[in-house]
Amino acid sequence: VFDVVLKQLRRKGLNRKKILIYGAGKVGRSIGERFTEEFEIGFDIRAYVDGIPALHGTTVCGVRVCPPEKLLGLLADVQEIWI
């Protein structure tokens, strides 16, 4: 019963955790795709951070990729960093 209620809340945008993913490569992209496909998991990706300059300013699953120098400025908008 609890799982059903939790999924319904998350579909409405409630009880969601804002995260930042460090790494926009294969693993980071697959995490983003999973969270996009399964919205009820409850994670909102706010940004990706990656050290590869060619990725800066691009998007992964509709989320911007930022350089590591921007990390501290992004922390105010997230609850967790996934590495």
Side-chain angles (χ1 to χ4, degrees):
V1 173
F2 179 75
D3 289 343
V4 172
V5 172
L6 189 57
K7 284 181 181 182
Q8 289 176 348
L9 288 172
R10 287 179 174 164
R11 285 186 190 126
K12 293 181 180 184
L14 303 171
N15 194 37
R16 301 187 58 77
K17 188 172 283 190
K18 299 173 187 173
I19 65 169
L20 178 148
I21 297 178
Y22 199 102
K26 185 177 180 180
V27 174
R29 288 174 186 272
S30 68
I31 290 170
E33 289 167 0
R34 173 115 191 261
F35 290 170
T36 300
E37 292 169 2
E38 299 180 37
F39 189 74
E40 65 274 358
I41 289 176
F43 293 107
D44 287 330
I45 303 169
R46 303 308 251 185
Y48 282 88
V49 173
D50 200 293
I52 300 173
L55 295 176
H56 302 162
T58 64
T59 60
V60 175
C61 298
V63 179
R64 73 183 187 275
V65 179
C66 302
E69 297 81 33
K70 301 278 185 179
L71 181 61
L72 288 178
L74 297 168
L75 293 179
D77 192 37
V78 298
Q79 296 165 299
E80 287 185 5
I81 298 174
W82 286 40
I83 300 175

